[in-house]
Amino acid sequence: MSRGTNQKFKFTYLMKVMLEKTDDDHALTMSQIMEELEKYDVTAERKSIYQDFADMEKFGIDIIKEQAGRDTLYHVASREFELAEVKLLVDAIQSSKFITQTKSRDLISKLKTFVSEYQGSTLQRQVFIDNRVKSMNESVFYNVDEVYNAINDNKKIRFKYYKWDINKKLVPRRNGDWFILSPWALTWMDENYYMVAFDEWDGKIKSYRIDKMMRISITDEARVGKKEFKEYDMAKLSKSTFSMYGGPKKRVTIQLDNSMCGVFLDRFGKDDISFRPVDDTHSEFSVEVNVSPQFFAWIFGLGTKVKVVGPEDVVKELKDYGKAFLENYKEIN
């Protein structure tokens, strides 16, 4: 048997063939394996392939040998990622607003290399992202990387911060002035990526949408705000903040029909709230939230089975918000 021109890559191509062409539902005979190798200009004897299969186990790739009638079949039994895990990652990518359509397709294409070509084709059923609301900022991934680098280097960052206008154009905030901040963390909330940073000018911790940050660069200045960030409870951020809009943090008391308890357990978690019975069908609890129009809108959205009963200033503010909303609604309609 003459040797192929790519003989020194035999093991690599054999591993590629087995990972791409076989899985629990698809297997190859030894003759088929040798035919696949010949496509890469590699020749191999059965004995050497058996030895390569044994060596693959050192890489965590188990080759299963099965008998099907007169045929002896071989397939990969285990992979770094199971098909169900890859599908889960695909779903996560597609549901992430901060990942653009182009990057979503790119990432899904790369994920398909973790499964066989047959399994990869089943992922196509999930790749329907054109109508999803996705970020339009292709630099999001690089922004995230740059912020992480600044955090690791203990440096401030400089960037321009943008918002959408009525003409669907991104326009700079603060008249295009540079934002210079001390980044301390990144968080994923409400389907968007946010940077949590200390604003030295305001003396407080704030959050910024990663996809609205542009022209990011790391400065030579060391970060500040370490004390403020330590006092900033990241664990409670997603529970107390609504749509990442700030507002004064207050402990509010909410009364609810018992049938609505699941809504609040999902939002605040079992450990942070304790229900107290009001009567046979109603309960109440207290929790810290950032009081803002977004919080009020969330409460209104839960309907008549939920109401805020304290403190008085929040109850009044909620009523005023409701009146203003109804008046505005009447004017528009």
Side-chain angles (χ1 to χ4, degrees), residues 286-311:
S286 297
V287 67
E288 278 194 346
V289 300
N290 290 94
V291 178
S292 66
Q294 286 68 34
F295 167 66
F296 295 148
W298 183 72
I299 289 293
F300 279 127
L302 296 178
T304 58
K305 292 185 177 182
V306 173
K307 63 179 179 180
V308 176
V309 295

Side-chain angles (χ1 to χ4, degrees), residues 21-45:
K21 301 291 182 180
T22 74
D23 54 44
D24 288 337
D25 299 316
H26 303 86
L28 296 173
T29 65
M30 185 57 68
S31 296
Q32 289 172 328
I33 292 171
M34 295 168 73
E35 288 175 7
E36 291 294 331
L37 286 173
E38 287 177 4
K39 294 178 182 179
Y40 296 104
D41 205 8
V42 172
T43 56
E45 297 180 353

Side-chain angles (χ1 to χ4, degrees), residues 262-280:
V263 174
F264 296 97
L265 290 174
D266 287 339
R267 175 72 205 198
F268 300 108
K270 294 188 295 183
D271 297 332
D272 286 350
I273 61 175
S274 180
F275 295 116
R276 301 179 294 274
V278 174
D279 55 38
D280 290 341

